[in-house]
Amino acid sequence: EMRVSFDVKWTPGQRVISGLLVRVEGTDLMGRTAPKQVSVALSGPQVALEHLDPSKIKPVVSLTEEQGSHPGTVIAQVTLRGVPENVEVTSIVPDKVRVNLEAGPQTKSRGH
């Protein structure tokens, strides 16, 4: 029986992506966040960070049924979707946003 072991060495890296628009989920109301955008800091293998497509990283506020059921303002935690497995989220700034909920049809695509 022969055993081969090797260490995989990767260069650790950091990457900051700014200006990501926050999406609001979990409500039929029109949700607007303040601020509208967040910055995220990621760490992981340099090569993974370099090949990361920023448009795939989606900051999301998921409201509970209770939070999203009536107009008003809630403070909600921002989470990230689309982050590759080998990449770690170091920070989301700000990590909480104010969500203003208004009655009216929620439009799927909001203009920038």
Side-chain angles (χ1 to χ4, degrees), residues 22-64:
V22 181
R23 281 206 328 249
V24 179
E25 294 181 349
T27 181
D28 293 329
L29 300 171
M30 221 167 79
R32 280 206 295 272
T33 65
K36 288 187 172 86
Q37 302 175 339
V38 295
S39 295
V40 300
L42 306 171
S43 65
Q46 186 69 49
V47 65
L49 293 170
E50 283 170 9
H51 290 92
L52 189 67
D53 179 355
S55 70
K56 299 251 194 305
I57 307 291
K58 305 284 185 202
V60 175
V61 169
S62 295
L63 301 178
T64 63

Side-chain angles (χ1 to χ4, degrees), residues 83-103:
V83 179
E85 263 176 42
N86 56 350
V87 172
E88 193 182 323
V89 178
T90 326
S91 70
I92 302 174
V93 180
D95 66 338
K96 289 188 173 75
V97 294
R98 176 177 280 118
V99 184
N100 295 316
L101 295 169
E102 297 168 14

